[in-house]
Amino acid sequence: QVQLVESGGGLVQPGGSLRLSCVASGTIFSRATLNWYRQAPGKQREWVARSSSGGYTGYADSVKGRFTISRLNTKNTGYLQMNNLKPEDTAVYYCNLFLSSNGYWGQGTQVTVSS
């Protein structure tokens, strides 16, 4: 069974930065697509960024140019670098691994952007 643990969330002022981490157990990390999602209060969970096993990355329009997804397969760890944060980025952020029609989720980490 794959377990994912996110960390790095917190309270930050507008314009600030945070780096989220996602550590995975098991042996699938390097073969799986890594995604970050977020869910704001009262809203549906939305996709934020993707890193494929082949190195391709993609971003939602709302974060393009501000967020960067990366991964270190040797440490089974994924990252989401978030710069120039805005109040509308406030949400619980979740990492997700997807491989062979199976998806795995972490418990989420809260990011709050407020002055």
Side-chain angles (χ1 to χ4, degrees), residues 62-108:
S62 59
V63 307
K64 201 173 293 183
R66 299 188 298 121
F67 290 12
T68 303
I69 189 171
S70 61
R71 61 196 296 166
L72 190 56
N73 289 337
T74 55
K75 292 192 173 182
N76 278 9
T77 302
Y79 303 97
L80 186 67
Q81 177 67 42
M82 306 186 296
N83 298 329
N84 190 23
L85 283 160
K86 304 176 180 181
E88 51 264 41
D89 295 318
T90 295
V92 178
Y93 284 71
Y94 299 89
C95 69
N96 163 272
L97 287 183
F98 188 81
L99 178 67
S100 301
S101 301
N102 293 310
Y104 306 91
W105 294 89
Q107 83 290 347

Side-chain angles (χ1 to χ4, degrees), residues 3-113:
Q3 292 185 328
L4 305 178
V5 179
E6 301 100 331
S7 61
L11 173 64
V12 64
Q13 292 186 342
S17 298
L18 284 174
R19 188 177 80 156
L20 306 183
S21 298
C22 172
V23 180
S25 65
T27 60
I28 74 164
F29 185 85
S30 63
R31 296 178 287 119
T33 294
L34 168 68
N35 294 285
W36 286 94
Y37 287 78
R38 66 186 181 187
Q39 187 166 18
K43 294 188 176 182
Q44 289 189 331
R45 191 172 296 189
E46 65 172 351
W47 171 76
V48 174
R50 172 182 298 118
S51 170
S52 75
S53 60
Y56 293 101
T57 59
Y59 299 91
D61 287 343
S62 59
V63 307
K64 201 173 293 183
R66 299 188 298 121
F67 290 12
T68 303
I69 189 171
S70 61
R71 61 196 296 166
L72 190 56
N73 289 337
T74 55
K75 292 192 173 182
N76 278 9
T77 302
Y79 303 97
L80 186 67
Q81 177 67 42
M82 306 186 296
N83 298 329
N84 190 23
L85 283 160
K86 304 176 180 181
E88 51 264 41
D89 295 318
T90 295
V92 178
Y93 284 71
Y94 299 89
C95 69
N96 163 272
L97 287 183
F98 188 81
L99 178 67
S100 301
S101 301
N102 293 310
Y104 306 91
W105 294 89
Q107 83 290 347
T109 185
Q110 175 71 47
V111 172
T112 302
V113 185

